[in-house]
Amino acid sequence: MDKSNKIIVGISVGDINGIGIEIILKTFEDKRMLEFCTPVIFASNKLVSYHKKALNLKNNVHGITSLDKIAHNKINLLNAWKEEVKINLGENTAHGGTYAFKSLSSATDALKKNAIDLLVTAPINKDNIQSEEFTFPGHTEYLENEFEGKSLMILMSEELRIGLITGHIPVSKVSETITPELIKDKVNIMHKTLKQDFNINKPKIAVLGLNPHCGDNGLIGNEDDEIIRPTIDEIKQDGKLVFGPYAADGFFGAKTYKQFDGILAMYHDQGLAPFKALSFGNGVNYTAGLNKIRTSPDHGTGIDIAGKNKANSASFQEALFTAIHIYKNRKEYLNLTKNSLKVK
């Protein structure tokens, strides 16, 4: 395989009864997309052919049996399994999750071996994918377990990058999970990724408060004054431009987010609800902090519209372009800093 300078993008198909294959194929309907990268879909010929026929899509897909047979300027399909698979478009089935994981694990293994350069994942169903091999709340936690580093889930669009201090945990566990150490870890990951992956030399980071009105001086909780604010002050002493805590309602309502390069929300819905209200359909989920690059669209499996040719591929396309952009930025950053003189 002559890798040349073309970036090889591994793609997992997500739930096989959802819209994953549809948005992947629609992304590459425009053949100019193959000028930006060489895609490798991890699935099976029969599965993709079934979806193509059901959706009346005409993409030419190049089947390969091993990763050393990748062909540039083509949509490559690595057969990650050989057996017949029952497909029930639009239904939530155990098979949907089983083969979503086969696709994901095969792509993850290829990324570990550097046979592909980065990973873009189509949506999984977090329930039906659960098994003895997959016991994680989602992609982020699974990939953190597979690669080096500590992860930070970032939802991003052209004007927003929102990371999560706590991720897929119950709201009842959020307060006890937030510690100075966790806040510092997530700020450090956000700071590093803004520099190396987004080419922002002096990133400005906002940290949201936990309680309504950031606790109102202890009237509605003490965490903001006793944990979050002192931790931010401590982080500032390292020279990082970190500000907060900000009450989330006013922060988004007044569009204060436009003043920052990155935002850290205390819990899942505090960050994702305003993000999806502002950017849904064009957003990207990026797993920052790891030694490998992974992005995904900002929506779910679309079971309700699967097989109806109604899925919009805009978010998946954005995820693809974002991953390529991050890959190039990180490569340049690592090359520039590799031999730089260390200041004593």
Side-chain angles (χ1 to χ4, degrees):
M1 175 182 65
D2 177 20
K3 195 171 179 181
S4 66
N5 292 318
K6 195 71 74 75
I7 295 171
I8 299 176
V9 178
I11 301 172
S12 61
V13 298
D15 193 304
I16 63 170
N17 295 317
I19 61 171
I21 294 174
E22 179 178 347
I23 59 176
I24 294 165
L25 294 177
K26 283 182 174 179
T27 293
F28 290 100
E29 278 185 312
D30 186 340
K31 293 182 179 179
R32 291 175 296 179
M33 292 295 294
L34 298 176
E35 297 173 11
F36 298 101
C37 67
T38 297
V40 182
I41 303 170
F42 290 78
S44 76
N45 279 316
K46 290 180 180 178
L47 175 67
V48 173
S49 294
Y50 183 98
H51 280 258
K52 283 176 60 179
K53 185 176 180 180
L55 297 162
N56 196 29
L57 297 175
K58 305 298 184 183
N59 309 64
N60 290 319
V61 178
H62 176 64
I64 57 176
T65 55
S66 63
L67 291 167
D68 59 358
K69 292 180 168 53
I70 291 172
H72 297 294
N73 301 315
K74 292 185 178 181
I75 305 170
N76 295 270
L77 170 63
L78 180 77
N79 281 284
W81 59 85
K82 296 178 181 178
E83 65 269 20
E84 286 276 359
V85 180
K86 188 174 182 181
I87 303 166
N88 302 87
L89 285 177
E91 295 182 26
N92 180 0
T93 69
H95 265 65
T98 298
Y99 286 90
F101 178 67
K102 282 181 181 283
S103 174
L104 176 61
S105 61
S106 182
T108 301
D109 186 59
L111 189 54
K112 281 182 181 178
K113 295 174 179 176
N114 297 316
I116 58 177
D117 295 312
L118 52 90
L119 175 62
V120 181
T121 61
I124 59 172
N125 180 311
K126 294 180 178 65
D127 179 37
N128 70 21
I129 197 173
Q130 298 297 319
S131 67
E132 290 183 2
E133 296 175 293
F134 191 99
T135 57
F136 305 91
H139 276 116
T140 303
E141 295 82 3
Y142 170 75
L143 294 170
E144 182 179 59
N145 187 67
E146 294 294 317
F147 296 115
E148 296 174 15
K150 292 183 177 180
S151 68
L152 172 66
M153 180 178 172
I154 297 179
L155 269 290
M156 53 180 288
S157 63
E158 282 190 11
E159 58 178 15
L160 268 173
R161 297 184 194 92
I162 302 180
L164 304 180
I165 299 286
T166 62
H168 295 121
I169 64 171
V171 172
S172 60
K173 302 285 186 184
V174 170
S175 179
E176 66 189 60
T177 303
I178 293 171
T179 63
E181 292 73 26
L182 181 63
I183 296 170
K184 289 176 189 176
D185 282 347
K186 299 300 184 181
V187 168
N188 287 337
I189 296 170
M190 175 68 87
H191 187 268
K192 182 178 179 180
T193 199
L194 289 172
K195 291 187 72 172
Q196 76 168 9
D197 297 337
F198 297 97
N199 200 25
I200 300 170
N201 190 36
K202 292 185 177 180
K204 288 179 64 181
I205 299 171
V207 178
L208 302 182
L210 173 64
N211 296 297
H213 311 163
C214 293
D216 264 349
N217 296 316
L219 291 174
I220 320 175
N222 298 313
E223 292 90 348
D224 295 276
D225 289 332
E226 295 181 0
I227 298 174
I228 300 170
R229 200 181 307 277
T231 303
I232 292 172
D233 291 339
E234 189 177 338
I235 294 169
K236 283 181 179 178
Q237 294 175 16
D238 291 334
K240 292 184 176 72
L241 302 177
V242 181
F243 304 89
Y246 293 96
D249 55 350
F251 183 84
F252 289 105
K255 299 186 178 180
T256 308
Y257 61 85
K258 293 188 175 184
Q259 301 172 22
F260 294 92
D261 302 301
I263 301 154
L264 285 168
M266 285 293 142
Y267 55 93
H268 188 278
D269 283 16
Q270 184 189 51
L272 268 62
F275 176 84
K276 292 193 175 185
L278 293 165
S279 306
F280 189 70
N282 294 298
V284 174
N285 181 356
Y286 170 45
T287 305
L290 304 182
N291 65 323
K292 300 293 185 180
I293 294 163
R294 171 261 174 171
T295 62
S296 73
D298 68 351
H299 56 73
T301 58
I303 285 291
D304 57 322
I305 59 170
K308 299 177 181 179
N309 207 0
K310 293 182 178 180
N312 188 328
S313 62
S315 183
F316 188 89
Q317 185 170 314
E318 281 298 314
L320 180 69
F321 281 133
T322 298
I324 292 169
H325 183 65
I326 290 171
Y327 179 84
K328 290 178 177 178
N329 281 349
R330 185 180 292 192
K331 189 174 182 180
E332 181 182 3
Y333 178 86
L334 294 175
N335 283 336
L336 288 172
T337 57
K338 184 168 56 177
N339 298 315
S340 60
L341 293 173
K342 293 183 178 180
V343 180
K344 293 185 179 180

